Amino acid sequence: MLPMGTIMACSMFLGLILAVFENLPAPIRKPLGVVVLAAGLWNVCWYAVQHLTEFWGQAALISGVLMIITAFYIINPSRLPGVLLKLKPLVLLLLLGCGLLYGITIYRL
């Protein structure tokens, strides 16, 4: 069984790839976007809520919110406010940082 941190790191990188390559067919892009959304919701609503005073709880909150926003970039970007559309490069850069934080930490274990 894979550790949840590995699943979250993979979900972050999946979200980045899907958000950058926007021309993928909808039957591929949308279900994978739902996977990214589910991972982000799990990070925010489950792990972060239980561990908010700890470093990894705060990291889960930040990365979860970024994954949720990224999932909407993938699934239906037209429903996002204009300010989030303009912030897309920053959101993806921050998500890359979170993915690297998770990935490097897991590699060092």
Side-chain angles (χ1 to χ4, degrees), residues 15-16 19 36 65-74 91-92 95:
L16 284 168
V36 174
V65 168
L66 292 171
M67 279 195 287
I68 292 168
I69 295 169
T70 301
F72 282 106
Y73 289 142
I74 297 164
V91 169
L92 296 181
L95 186 59

Side-chain angles (χ1 to χ4, degrees), residues 23-24 26 45-46 51 57 61 66 77 88 91 94 97 100 102 108:
N23 58 351
L24 292 172
C45 297
W46 179 255
H51 302 277
L61 178 64
L66 292 171
K88 182 178 179 180
V91 169
L94 292 172
L100 289 173
Y102 276 63
R108 288 182 177 173

Side-chain angles (χ1 to χ4, degrees), residues 43-62 65:
N43 243 9
V44 171
C45 297
W46 179 255
Y47 191 85
V49 170
Q50 293 183 7
H51 302 277
L52 198 52
T53 60
E54 302 168 14
F55 173 78
W56 286 109
Q58 295 166 4
L61 178 64
I62 293 167
V65 168

Side-chain angles (χ1 to χ4, degrees), residues 8-9 15 20 42 50 92:
M8 288 299 113
V20 169
W42 185 89
Q50 293 183 7
L92 296 181

Side-chain angles (χ1 to χ4, degrees), residues 1 9 15 32 34 46 52 57 69-70 78 84 89-90 94 96 108:
M1 187 166 160
L32 292 176
V34 171
W46 179 255
L52 198 52
I69 295 169
T70 301
S78 64
L84 282 180
L90 178 62
L94 292 172
L96 174 63
R108 288 182 177 173

